Amino acid sequence: MLPTVPEEPSENYRVTAAELRQFIERIERLEAEKKDIAEQIKESFAEAKARGYDTKVMKKVIAMRKRDKDDLSEEEAVLDMYKEALGM
């Protein structure tokens, strides 16, 4: 059950509503910026692909660069071991 809203909001309620509106509007602006950035990333990948780069591999490289070097090294060692065991 939702709380009821007083018919005549108190001063505290108005301040809270104004603050809430500010949060909502800031989040909406950030969401719009995020959409713009996602479009720019998509365009960058399209440009790289048009120049002959393998975008799938580029995405893997980007993901690898975000990771901890020790974790990545350990994973690569295990991957190499598994590939060797399978004759790959």
Side-chain angles (χ1 to χ4, degrees):
M1 187 164 142
L2 297 173
T4 58
V5 177
E7 290 191 25
E8 288 191 32
S10 68
E11 186 64 31
N12 289 338
Y13 177 78
R14 277 184 283 229
V15 170
T16 302
E19 184 178 56
L20 176 60
R21 182 175 291 107
Q22 288 176 346
F23 280 120
I24 296 296
E25 290 172 353
R26 182 174 9 149
I27 291 167
E28 288 172 340
R29 282 191 306 275
L30 291 169
E31 287 288 340
E33 289 176 25
K34 183 169 75 170
K35 184 179 176 185
D36 291 342
I37 290 169
E39 184 61 33
Q40 291 174 19
I41 291 170
K42 184 178 173 182
E43 290 170 2
S44 294
F45 276 116
E47 183 179 348
K49 185 174 185 174
R51 292 179 179 248
Y53 292 97
D54 186 327
T55 56
K56 222 190 269 189
V57 174
M58 287 176 62
K59 289 176 185 179
K60 286 183 181 182
V61 170
I62 291 167
M64 290 169 68
R65 288 170 53 106
K66 291 179 185 178
R67 296 186 50 199
D68 179 68
K69 290 181 182 183
D70 292 335
D71 289 343
L72 189 57
S73 295
E74 183 179 333
E75 183 179 309
E76 288 174 346
V78 172
L79 179 61
D80 289 341
M81 183 175 61
Y82 286 4
K83 286 169 53 177
E84 185 178 329
L86 295 172
M88 296 175 70

